[in-house]
Amino acid sequence: GRQETYWRETDLEAISAWQAGGGLFGLCSGRPPMGLFHLLPDKISPDFYIACSGAAVFDRNRDVICEAVIEKEDVRELLGRYGPSVLFAAFHTDSPDALYRSRNTGRMGVKEVLVTSPEDLGDRKLYSLSLIFDHEREAEEACRQINESCPALEAFQNKNSADVVRKGCSKGRGILLVKQKMGVEVMAAIGDSFNDLPMFEAASHSFTFHGSPEKIRSRVTQVVDSVAEALGWLSDSLCL
């Protein structure tokens, strides 16, 4: 989904109405659980969370449905290969109150833990690792290299970031797990980046925004201006 934390009031109203009518609404993102749990205003309570590009899936009570962890040796290899060339690396863990980064980014009000080696993660579970580059083409090339040479890992491009998870994890797998766990037959998804493509494939209906790359727009059911428009389209299509 979108990276900004700003939500249009019309979108929030549409989400509330959707849930009041019996529909389920969840969040699916490359963000760690800590960032995803507090992404929406308090008046909206998601029915599920798919964090870290599908490596960690939680129910409405934030209890784990499924999780997959990256091994420290794989982290060591990635840092050795890409550490010198990235702006920074973000380590997405199960921490409820801290961000783990290869350099401090100065985010106000957030505890940051500096990571120079896998040992700095301590006993934290590492769900995903984001390698942040200067340019999108660097992230694209890193994803290609990781997918070709690291059998235990899988990488997805998210603009100028290479988001790395355990092999087999994806937003699409997260969608399928939620459908199975919650007994959902029809699931729709909305997103705007390349790491959303597996989610679109797993969903019954898919949406993106007019400003998304053409390769994304060509892979969805409908291009919309907002979450509210997508929910309206769904209501009409499903005769709700």
Side-chain angles (χ1 to χ4, degrees), residues 174-187 202-204:
I175 290 289
L176 295 175
L177 286 170
V178 169
K179 289 178 69 175
Q180 180 182 26
K181 175 73 174 180
M182 307 187 78
V184 176
E185 294 185 5
V186 177
M187 179 81 78
S204 309

Side-chain angles (χ1 to χ4, degrees), residues 21-39:
L24 301 179
F25 180 85
L27 295 173
C28 182
S29 173
R31 295 170 183 261
M34 170 190 164
L36 202 56
F37 291 159
H38 305 291
L39 189 61

Side-chain angles (χ1 to χ4, degrees), residues 205-209 217 219-224 229-230 233:
H205 306 283
S206 54
F207 302 89
T208 194
F209 304 100
R217 299 197 306 272
R219 301 282 292 275
V220 299
T221 308
Q222 195 79 7
V223 179
V224 296
E229 183 182 347
W233 188 94

Side-chain angles (χ1 to χ4, degrees), residues 34 97 99 101 104-112:
M34 170 190 164
D97 60 4
L99 295 177
R101 305 287 176 91
N104 291 328
T105 57
R107 287 187 59 177
M108 297 297 292
V110 178
K111 177 185 177 184
E112 290 190 317

Side-chain angles (χ1 to χ4, degrees), residues 62-80:
R62 303 177 183 178
D63 293 327
V64 174
I65 293 176
C66 183
E67 60 184 6
V69 177
I70 297 177
E71 299 295 335
K72 288 186 177 180
E73 283 308 309
D74 291 319
V75 177
R76 198 183 317 278
E77 180 180 347
L78 291 177
L79 290 180

Side-chain angles (χ1 to χ4, degrees), residues 18 21 186 205 230-240:
W18 177 264
V186 177
H205 306 283
L231 290 174
W233 188 94
L234 276 176
S235 295
D236 292 341
S237 299
L238 301 175
C239 299
L240 298 179

